Amino acid sequence: MDEIFGIPAPLLFGQLLLGLINGAFYAMLSLGLAVIFGLLNIINFAHGAQFMMGAFAAWMLLEWAGLGYWWALLLAPIIVGFTGVVMERLMISRLYKLDHLYGLLLTFGLALIIEGIFRNEFGSSGMPYRIPPELAGAWDLGFMFLPVYRGWVVIAALILCLATWLLIEKTRLGAYLRAATENAALVQAFGVNVPRMVTLTYGAGVALAAIGGVLAAPIYSVNPQMGTNLIIVVFAVVVIGGMGSILGSIVTGFGLGIVEGLTKVFWPEASATVIFVIMAIVLLARPAGLFGRA
Amino acid sequence: MPLSRRQLLAAGTTAAALGGFSPLRAQANTIRIGVLTDMSGPYRDSTGPGSVVCTQQAVQEFGNKGFQVEVLQADHQNKPDVGANLARQWYDQGVDAIIDVPTSSVALAITQIAKEKNKVFLNSGAAVTELTGAHCNPNFVHWTYDTYMLSKGLAGALTKAGGNTWYFVTADYAFGHALQRDATRFVEEAGGKVLGAARYPFPSTTDFSSFLLQAQASRAKVLGLANASGDTVNCIKQGREFGLNKSMRFAALLMGLVDVHALGLETGQGLLLTESFYWGLNDRTRAFGKRVQPKMPNRAMPAMVHAGCYGVTLHYLKAVADMGVAAAKASGTDVVARMKAMPTDDDAFGQGRIREDGRKLHPSFLFEVKSPAESKEPWDYYKLVATTPAEEAFRPLSEGGCPLVRS
């Protein structure tokens, strides 16, 4: 039990746990993408930028308004979600009748613009954001030293994912949403304001990204390109899990985090590639993704 | 999808950059300097717009000596292909000298083009020593720093101070490898041992905890960070989070003023780092810092690479004035030869010279990051620990293997 495949067991457990933590971010972000794609049919390439905006909102709230982490966790998603609502109303809503590609190009362009603005304003090297004192410190688990904050991230992500899944699969509101995806005209005929619901759904998806950003701020440096690196992986997660599948994105997010974590031990140089290799295999074997419906 | 996105990005911005300037007419009495740098990526703050500002500052301070100087700028996006295309186009359109070029892979591509077209390439931002070693050429000057200088200052000093076992976390590309190689040499020379290294994919890694835990498990006394900018900041931040600072000393081999700024003094205090320029070093550097600060993006103090752009531009213009514009435009080799023949002197680096292989010589400094209480004003971040004299700071001429050097 001391060594597994030549790697000391404590190190391996540590890496599994770390994979789970990174998986929490993948799950949170791909969840937002899945919600948006599932209900709006928009491939939201601005998701990484919105994740970054969440982190910056936390930083601005602290620097400019003196509001700490917990306020940021509440306010940043509302602020960033609101910018999402404005974007949906002004631009994205005009594209629903067109091909997916138009939505993708629009949101991609918006992402570049948003990142460019932040880069011009704040530079590229990032801003410091501290771990809230309540969550500072670390637990000694015997096999590793787990920072309390990382534990909190996993728990928060699990709660968030579970709540979103329950909301969409088990509530009346969720039923409306799902029905509107199937047949918007019919649901509207029943007196449900579908356009408003779609707008709010986009806002909620964006808010999820922003919460991810706030959770990430104390771990990563808060900088304009922080979303860019993550979003590519997250798209792979969504593709593997199946576009639009809520459960798929949650399970795949955590799962791929663990796979990536293990790769970092056995072959660190390949850890950025492994997810795309899996994506290629999944696309060949099950084009609709692991949890998707063809 | 990820591939097409990156290509889209590259294609789009290259088009924008190329479309931005109209065909240049080679005017006989105008020297054209092109600042080719990272305007949109991770090195933007430590190079980027600040490099342009400092180049312009040098031009302004140089004044009018009977010829015009024009400064252009472009973004190479840290991609060798993009950088090489821009450089070719610039040289063909009458640009006489290209300045800065951070990111070693891009610099290695451009140094060959400068030679081929007999133009001038003055590097401030890149770090690999190959530029003045196997890849050296008579059209090139390497001004500010290199991996040898960084490693010698820090790795040697730390190893002698008791940090005799090392574990590296290395960015998996030319620069990271070179830095790890050079640092390993000084660790071993000082009687230390390298226990291992984790090479992580660059630039797509944001979470370093896996590599940091591997470093921790190695029980080495020093964590060597062979990377730069945001990666270094994230490694230190996450290293403290996982308590590595309790058992290991952090050695960020390339860390600069903007990184310390991003990290914050609270987290950064006590770190050791090597630089060849710090604005608060002496009266001349302070005067230079105060002169350019109002023009810098976000009113930042100039960092090492920025100061290098200032120093090298000033020296280049002095050489041009000395030999005449027509002769300077005719042959890049001649200008660089003249630059090597003239002693250098500027506010940022003081007096120095350029060696035959293109290496600029000046002292390197080992600094310690101040605690928040010790910092008296904005950007007051360092205290001086040790100075390596110019002749010892860089790789000896005989070891570089530069074909220009005759033994």
Side-chain angles (χ1 to χ4, degrees):
Chain A
M1 196 38 205
D2 276 358
E3 283 198 356
I4 304 169
F5 302 125
I7 304 283
L11 184 61
L12 199 64
F13 289 140
Q15 298 295 347
L16 281 175
L17 197 59
L18 287 176
L20 203 63
I21 296 165
N22 282 336
F25 280 107
Y26 296 157
M28 254 185 304
L29 284 175
S30 57
L31 181 67
L33 280 177
V35 168
I36 292 171
F37 182 78
L39 299 169
L40 281 75
N41 261 331
I42 290 283
I43 301 171
N44 187 32
F45 244 118
H47 218 66
Q50 284 151 344
F51 165 82
M52 177 271 288
M53 283 166 82
F56 265 97
W59 179 83
M60 288 173 197
L61 286 167
L62 183 69
E63 290 290 310
W64 299 346
L67 296 173
Y69 179 79
W70 301 104
W71 278 108
L73 209 52
L74 181 73
L75 293 175
I78 296 176
I79 298 166
V80 181
F82 180 72
T83 65
V85 166
V86 173
M87 255 167 64
E88 197 276 343
R89 273 296 83 199
L90 292 180
M91 289 175 270
I92 298 171
S93 60
R94 296 165 198 276
L95 301 177
Y96 292 141
K97 292 196 176 64
L98 300 171
D99 190 74
H100 289 329
L101 197 60
Y102 290 89
L104 186 150
L105 285 174
L106 174 72
T107 51
F108 178 55
L110 287 171
L112 289 182
I113 292 169
I114 295 168
E115 283 176 11
I117 292 171
F118 275 83
R119 199 179 291 122
N120 268 348
E121 282 303 308
F122 300 100
S124 62
S125 54
M127 308 291 176
Y129 192 88
R130 291 178 58 191
I131 292 176
E134 300 84 13
L135 298 174
W139 291 307
D140 194 350
L141 301 182
F143 62 91
M144 78 174 287
F145 196 69
L146 177 70
V148 177
Y149 188 80
R150 300 261 174 162
W152 152 250
V153 167
V154 176
I155 294 166
L158 277 173
I159 293 172
L160 207 63
C161 291
L162 201 66
T164 312
W165 183 75
L166 284 174
L167 182 77
I168 290 182
E169 299 292 333
K170 303 288 174 200
T171 66
R172 199 170 180 80
L173 178 66
Y176 286 155
L177 288 169
R178 279 177 292 133
T181 350
E182 297 290 331
N183 191 334
L186 195 63
V187 176
Q188 194 141 20
F190 284 132
V192 177
N193 186 343
V194 172
R196 190 173 69 193
M197 205 163 73
V198 166
T199 305
L200 291 177
T201 305
Y202 186 76
V206 173
L208 278 175
I211 296 178
V214 179
L215 287 173
I219 302 185
Y220 308 126
S221 93
V222 178
N223 68 54
Q225 58 274 355
M226 66 189 289
T228 316
N229 288 331
L230 211 53
I231 197 68
I232 298 175
V233 175
V234 170
F235 266 101
V237 170
V238 173
V239 171
I240 296 169
M243 294 295 284
S245 162
I246 309 274
L247 192 65
S249 61
I250 298 172
V251 175
T252 326
F254 281 102
L256 286 180
I258 292 173
V259 171
E260 195 189 46
L262 288 178
T263 317
K264 281 176 178 169
V265 184
F266 293 106
W267 191 12
E269 289 92 335
S271 57
T273 325
V274 65
I275 287 182
F276 301 105
V277 174
I278 296 176
M279 182 176 87
I281 295 169
V282 168
L283 283 178
L284 286 174
R286 274 183 72 99
L290 293 177
F291 295 80
R293 281 169 297 169
Chain B
M1 198 165 310
L3 248 183
S4 66
R5 179 177 188 263
R6 292 196 149 234
Q7 279 163 349
L8 213 68
L9 215 152
T13 18
T14 313
L18 293 178
F21 56 83
S22 51
L24 308 168
R25 295 266 175 279
Q27 284 166 2
N29 206 29
T30 302
I31 288 291
R32 285 212 169 78
I33 298 174
V35 183
L36 187 55
T37 184
D38 177 8
M39 289 292 198
S40 55
Y43 305 135
R44 177 190 154 99
D45 283 5
S46 48
T47 64
S51 292
V52 178
V53 167
C54 287
T55 305
Q56 283 163 341
Q57 179 73 22
V59 171
Q60 189 194 332
E61 288 180 20
F62 182 72
N64 190 344
K65 301 268 158 62
F67 58 93
Q68 307 284 318
V69 183
E70 197 180 315
V71 178
L72 305 166
Q73 50 176 296
D75 183 7
H76 65 39
Q77 304 168 47
N78 301 315
K79 295 189 176 78
D81 51 337
V82 175
N85 279 339
L86 283 165
R88 250 174 227 290
Q89 191 154 0
W90 261 357
Y91 283 145
D92 286 344
Q93 290 174 334
V95 167
D96 300 292
I98 289 181
I99 289 192
D100 199 11
V101 193
T103 309
S104 300
S105 44
V106 188
L108 284 167
I110 290 174
T111 189
Q112 299 308 323
I113 300 172
K115 186 185 175 199
E116 183 189 313
K117 305 217 178 265
N118 196 14
K119 298 281 189 171
V120 177
F121 177 25
L122 309 171
N123 189 292
S124 178
V128 282
T129 43
E130 275 79 356
L131 287 166
T132 52
H135 292 271
C136 82
N137 69 53
N139 298 66
F140 175 77
V141 172
H142 202 184
W143 189 274
T144 313
Y145 72 111
D146 61 29
T147 52
Y148 185 99
M149 179 205 104
L150 296 171
S151 311
K152 175 158 191 177
L154 190 58
L158 266 180
T159 310
K160 282 181 197 129
N164 53 7
T165 48
W166 285 58
Y167 190 96
F168 287 101
V169 172
T170 304
D172 193 13
Y173 75 113
F175 158 71
H177 297 180
L179 200 50
Q180 185 190 331
R181 178 200 63 209
D182 287 344
T184 300
R185 171 192 161 150
F186 291 110
V187 169
E188 286 170 354
E189 271 182 14
K193 215 175 133 197
V194 176
L195 301 182
R199 288 181 177 178
Y200 66 85
F202 177 86
S204 52
T205 306
T206 43
D207 186 66
F208 294 91
S209 42
S210 293
F211 311 115
L212 294 169
L213 282 197
Q214 292 176 40
Q216 197 173 31
S218 76
R219 303 195 184 283
K221 289 181 193 159
V222 181
L223 172 69
L225 299 174
N227 52 15
S229 95
D231 287 358
T232 308
V233 171
N234 273 334
C235 278
I236 294 170
K237 220 173 157 176
Q238 293 169 11
R240 286 181 74 98
E241 199 191 338
F242 282 89
L244 263 71
N245 52 325
K246 296 197 179 97
S247 60
M248 304 178 92
R249 183 114 204 221
F250 293 172
L253 291 163
L254 172 51
M255 186 160 170
L257 198 66
V258 296
D259 305 316
V260 173
H261 187 68
L263 200 57
L265 291 183
E266 187 64 45
T267 318
Q269 57 183 306
L271 283 171
L272 291 173
L273 46 87
T274 313
E275 297 229 55
S276 57
F277 166 84
Y278 168 54
W279 71 271
L281 191 64
N282 57 45
D283 290 343
R284 287 184 80 182
T285 54
R286 247 188 297 277
F288 166 69
K290 300 280 183 205
R291 278 206 303 277
V292 290
Q293 192 189 16
K295 302 172 193 168
M296 293 287 287
N298 299 324
R299 290 183 56 84
M301 268 297 174
M304 173 170 77
V305 171
H306 302 143
C309 290
Y310 166 82
V312 78
T313 305
L314 207 56
H315 189 62
Y316 168 71
L317 292 175
K318 284 176 191 165
V320 170
D322 194 48
M323 65 196 290
V325 179
K329 288 185 88 73
S331 165
T333 315
D334 289 354
V335 186
V336 171
R338 187 63 64 101
M339 288 176 75
K340 288 175 184 170
M342 296 165 65
T344 68
D345 187 21
D346 60 77
D347 279 355
F349 296 89
Q351 295 177 340
R353 68 180 177 95
I354 302 168
R355 221 163 51 178
E356 314 154 58
D357 60 353
R359 179 68 255 167
K360 161 79 178 5
L361 300 180
H362 41 236
S364 84
F365 307 99
L366 185 65
F367 293 109
E368 184 180 333
V369 177
K370 288 184 172 179
S371 69
E374 290 170 310
S375 174
K376 299 279 176 271
E377 56 183 315
W379 299 98
D380 175 21
Y381 291 162
Y382 295 167
K383 53 189 174 198
L384 184 63
V385 178
T387 305
T388 311
E391 297 297 328
E392 290 166 34
F394 294 93
R395 182 179 58 196
L397 203 52
S398 56
E399 289 178 23
C402 166
L404 295 175
V405 180
R406 286 185 196 85
S407 49

